[in-house]
Amino acid sequence: MNLNLKNPIVFLDLETTGIDIVNDRIIEFAFLKIHVDGREEEFEMRINPEMKISKEAIRVHHITDEDVANCPTFKEKAKDIARFIEGCDLAGFNSNRFDIPLLSEEFLRAGVDIDMRKRKFVDVQTIFHKMEKRTLAAAYKMYCNESLENAHAAMADTRATFEVLKAQLDRYEETEVEENGKSFVPVKNDIKALSEFSCYDRNVDFAGRIVYNEDDVPVFNFGKNKGRPVTEVLEEQPGYYGWMIGGDFPLYTKKVLTQIRLGEKMKK
């Protein structure tokens, strides 16, 4: 089944120095843009992270410090990357919890402030886990009946993710699930519906430090103020804002916190 698109969608996969979205960096990215007319466009590149790659990460993707030593930095390519994904929705495998938050951090560090709030995010892993509970290689074998060669090579994983989503649409287009006593078909050929189904939480920021409550009000999702409206906490505890801004929180979380403090309306 081909994707029913209102906007172009970019499937992405990142290889990184580690798994900390605040402190680790991108060393390789692969983007596969699917245009509304079905045309495909690829963009992949290795990046000098300007820091050491962890041994644990090297064991996964086999990219060493020497491999990226002479590559451009993310800051040098940030505007090209931003142009490639401009106006596009984003999709990946575990992308909502890792790739997209880390990509957003890299953009902010590079001084390129792109608005992520208007995009839709489809996490193929979440759809997979909610429906089958497996890994990408198993998903590819299960849905596409093929073995995933070159696993953890960015473009191989990216293209496999695209193929898995199309196969998921074929398999689940009439499959109903039950939630809160109601039956519905969650996997539809519609990016908005896929985006909603592939999210576990109603996050305001990518890291889930701030989420929407049942009244669509941003509330803190951690610590002593968990469940309390952000605006209420900032009014009662003026120093809390400064503590978070100066703390080890993702840059995007700090950006969202500042927007709420300044009274900007948060768009879901």
Side-chain angles (χ1 to χ4, degrees), residues 1-3 5 8-11 31-43 84 88 155 158-163 166:
M1 183 184 292
N2 291 322
L3 296 182
L5 301 176
I9 186 167
V10 172
F11 288 78
F31 298 145
L32 174 62
K33 184 189 292 188
I34 312 300
H35 292 267
V36 175
D37 61 4
R39 181 167 51 90
E40 299 179 8
E41 189 176 354
E42 294 182 356
F43 181 23
F84 188 82
C88 299
M155 186 52 75
T158 300
R159 185 163 288 281
T161 301
F162 170 49
E163 297 296 335
K166 291 194 296 180

Side-chain angles (χ1 to χ4, degrees), residues 7-18:
N7 303 307
I9 186 167
V10 172
F11 288 78
L12 71 153
D13 184 68
L14 308 179
E15 303 301 340
T16 63
T17 58

Side-chain angles (χ1 to χ4, degrees), residues 90-127:
L90 300 175
F93 199 85
N94 194 34
S95 51
N96 283 358
R97 297 189 177 206
F98 184 72
D99 300 79
I100 291 171
L102 199 150
L103 181 62
S104 177
E105 292 294 295
E106 290 278 34
F107 276 129
L108 289 171
R109 276 191 291 267
V112 177
D113 190 4
I114 64 174
D115 190 351
M116 290 288 209
R117 292 177 296 172
K118 296 180 180 179
R119 302 167 189 265
K120 297 178 183 66
F121 307 111
V122 178
D123 193 326
V124 175
Q125 184 193 61
T126 303
I127 297 173

Side-chain angles (χ1 to χ4, degrees), residues 99-218:
D99 300 79
I100 291 171
L102 199 150
L103 181 62
S104 177
E105 292 294 295
E106 290 278 34
F107 276 129
L108 289 171
R109 276 191 291 267
V112 177
D113 190 4
I114 64 174
D115 190 351
M116 290 288 209
R117 292 177 296 172
K118 296 180 180 179
R119 302 167 189 265
K120 297 178 183 66
F121 307 111
V122 178
D123 193 326
V124 175
Q125 184 193 61
T126 303
I127 297 173
F128 185 35
H129 284 181
K130 284 186 173 182
M131 303 301 286
E132 304 293 347
K133 318 290 187 192
R134 295 289 193 275
T135 63
L136 176 57
Y140 194 60
K141 182 67 176 178
M142 177 181 197
Y143 292 113
C144 304
N145 198 29
E146 294 183 30
S147 297
L148 177 55
E149 305 294 338
N150 254 343
H152 298 297
M155 186 52 75
D157 286 357
T158 300
R159 185 163 288 281
T161 301
F162 170 49
E163 297 296 335
V164 167
L165 178 58
K166 291 194 296 180
Q168 285 175 329
L169 292 173
D170 287 329
R171 176 175 291 221
Y172 299 125
E173 63 175 335
E174 296 181 0
T175 301
E176 291 189 356
V177 300
E178 188 169 313
E179 190 173 284
N180 298 324
K182 296 182 179 179
S183 295
F184 66 105
V185 177
V187 183
K188 302 175 182 177
N189 197 349
D190 177 86
I191 296 302
K192 183 175 184 296
L194 292 171
S195 176
E196 291 173 353
F197 185 62
S198 63
C199 290
Y200 279 108
D201 302 305
R202 302 174 68 230
N203 292 355
V204 181
D205 68 324
F206 292 126
R209 298 293 190 178
I210 302 172
V211 299
Y212 292 103
N213 65 13
E214 59 186 11
D215 297 318
D216 291 333
V217 173

